[in-house]
Amino acid sequence: MVIAAAMLSSLVLLSASQPAPAPPPVLQEPVDTMVRVGGHELHFVLYRGKLPVMILLEAGGGSDLTSWARVPETLARQTGATVVAYDRAGLGSSELGATASQPEDDIRHLHAALRDLTVPKTTVLVAHSTGRCSRC
């Protein structure tokens, strides 16, 4: 019993002498917004970070931003960067826009929307499936 109490006391002292882990950075509530570009609105969710870097999440195929689940929040918390996920035209909550639009139009509209959102220009593009094919 004395040995057990001594071991427990030692563990308590050791744990008290170790620095406490840093708390995770406090995140602002995500901004959930629509941005009008090219005659239609695109849906964005962004976490504003403190670093001068944006991580842009591009969903693939016919997926919308919900396919990223908790990835945006996790990236924002772990990196401190601004994290942006959005629905491409005609997907999720975004409006379809011109039916004859070309990939270049979509890219131009994305860039215009990002300017309107005043996000950092330094960008890390994270895409899956066909999302990697036509953006930048």
Side-chain angles (χ1 to χ4, degrees), residues 40 89 97-109 134-135:
H40 64 285
T99 55
S101 76
Q102 300 295 315
E104 297 82 15
D105 298 322
D106 295 339
I107 294 167
R108 191 172 58 256
H109 296 161
S134 62
R135 305 297 173 229

Side-chain angles (χ1 to χ4, degrees), residues 9-131:
S9 297
S10 297
L11 287 175
V12 169
L13 289 173
L14 281 174
S15 66
S17 67
Q18 299 296 318
V26 176
L27 289 178
Q28 294 181 4
E29 287 296 313
V31 175
D32 189 325
T33 189
M34 302 293 286
V35 178
R36 178 158 290 283
V37 290
H40 64 285
E41 289 190 327
L42 296 177
H43 177 224
F44 288 83
V45 172
L46 62 143
Y47 290 83
R48 294 220 182 258
K50 296 187 187 287
L51 294 179
V53 174
M54 172 186 55
I55 300 172
L56 177 63
L57 302 176
E58 176 73 40
S63 300
D64 63 13
L65 65 81
T66 62
S67 68
W68 291 104
R70 297 201 52 167
V71 171
E73 178 184 353
T74 302
L75 282 172
R77 186 175 306 282
Q78 290 183 355
T79 67
T82 295
V83 179
V84 178
Y86 79 107
D87 293 330
R88 290 193 310 276
L91 299 174
S93 297
S94 289
E95 296 175 347
L96 182 56
T99 55
S101 76
Q102 300 295 315
E104 297 82 15
D105 298 322
D106 295 339
I107 294 167
R108 191 172 58 256
H109 296 161
L110 174 59
H111 282 262
L114 292 173
R115 276 192 304 277
D116 287 353
L117 292 169
T118 61
V119 294
K121 291 183 181 184
T122 302
T123 303
V124 176
L125 175 64
V126 179
H128 66 81
S129 184
T130 57

